[in-house]
Amino acid sequence: MPHKKAKKNKEDRKPVASGSESGVTPEETTKKSQDEATVDQVFDEQTGDDVDAALAGLAELRDELDEAKDRALRACAELENYKKRIAREMDDERRYANISLMRDLLPVWDNMGRAIEAAEKGQDHEGLLAGFRMVVGQLKTVLTKHDCVEIDSLHQPFDPNCHEAILQQPSADFPAGTVLTVVDTGFQLYDRVVRPSRVIVSTAPPEEADEE
């Protein structure tokens, strides 16, 4: 019985197809294996090169980013210093804007002091009057030099933009609304009024007012 079973198993075995029977020669199988190994090697080498290149590019980008951050920080610091310097310069300009005017007014101050001193020492009223006229002329010159000029108001039509009426007075010589008297002289700097002229303005005479 065992002998028959072994024989049966031997008969059931099927021979493995050889290379010639499957249509592929051993040489072709070997060459295919070599080609596949070569492809795998080339792929591994290319993948490694790509990774190295990516890492190198990433490092380069990181360096550029660090440099850009450093430049940005320096630019911010320079801008902050510039703003502080400009603020100091503007503050100095506002603080000392009138220094030139003050320097020009000091001689006027000196002459006024001399005129007062001369008046206290003597009775020369004519000399005192001449001295003060000189001081006023000098002061007017200084103001004109700094573009601060008198407002021409006398006998001009009343202008609320540059005149301040403190009184109205009837007049037969001038039409109503005319500046008859300048109490305080007004001044303007370029086109801006520094101080309006304080004036007395004419009105119609009583006879004309009654007729109206």
Side-chain angles (χ1 to χ4, degrees):
M1 293 297 293
H3 179 71
K4 292 181 180 180
K5 185 176 181 181
K7 183 178 181 181
K8 184 178 180 180
N9 290 338
K10 183 177 180 181
E11 292 175 354
D12 292 338
R13 292 176 185 168
K14 294 181 180 180
V16 178
S18 63
S20 58
E21 294 176 352
S22 63
V24 180
T25 64
E27 292 78 5
E28 291 177 344
T29 304
T30 303
K31 186 175 183 302
K32 181 178 180 181
S33 300
Q34 292 176 349
D35 292 341
E36 291 177 352
T38 302
V39 169
D40 293 340
Q41 182 179 1
V42 171
F43 178 78
D44 292 339
E45 291 178 355
Q46 291 180 346
T47 303
D49 293 340
D50 292 342
V51 171
D52 293 340
L55 292 176
L58 182 61
E60 184 178 354
L61 289 176
R62 185 179 293 108
D63 293 339
E64 293 178 357
L65 179 60
D66 292 339
E67 292 178 1
K69 287 181 178 179
D70 185 62
R71 289 195 299 269
L73 290 175
R74 287 200 301 269
C76 290
E78 291 175 0
L79 178 60
E80 190 65 25
N81 293 334
Y82 173 78
K83 290 168 63 177
K84 291 179 180 179
R85 185 175 70 254
I86 292 299
R88 287 195 301 268
E89 292 177 357
M90 292 180 63
D91 185 61
D92 289 342
E93 288 181 2
R94 286 192 297 265
R95 182 177 298 177
Y96 304 111
N98 296 323
I99 190 169
S100 179
L101 175 61
M102 299 299 105
R103 288 170 177 166
D104 291 336
L105 286 175
L106 289 179
V108 179
W109 172 274
D110 296 336
N111 288 332
M112 291 179 65
R114 294 187 187 100
I116 293 174
E117 184 179 357
E120 291 175 347
K121 290 180 179 179
Q123 299 295 325
D124 186 8
H125 299 294
E126 292 297 327
L128 178 62
L129 179 60
F132 270 100
R133 283 176 176 170
M134 180 188 69
V135 170
V136 171
Q138 188 179 13
L139 179 59
K140 182 178 179 180
T141 301
V142 171
L143 293 176
T144 303
K145 177 182 177 182
H146 290 270
D147 300 300
C148 185
V149 298
E150 296 182 38
I151 297 175
D152 186 15
S153 302
L154 186 62
H155 301 161
Q156 299 296 321
F158 176 78
D159 184 355
N161 295 316
C162 56
H163 298 149
E164 179 184 348
I166 62 173
L167 187 65
Q168 288 183 320
Q169 180 177 322
S171 174
D173 299 326
F174 297 95
T178 302
V179 175
L180 296 177
T181 306
V182 178
V183 179
D184 293 321
T185 302
F187 289 86
Q188 64 182 24
L189 181 65
Y190 298 107
D191 58 346
R192 180 173 296 183
V193 175
V194 178
R195 184 184 72 179
S197 299
R198 302 179 72 235
V199 298
I200 298 175
V201 185
S202 66
T203 60
E207 297 81 3
E208 295 182 5
D210 293 340
E211 292 177 1
E212 292 179 357

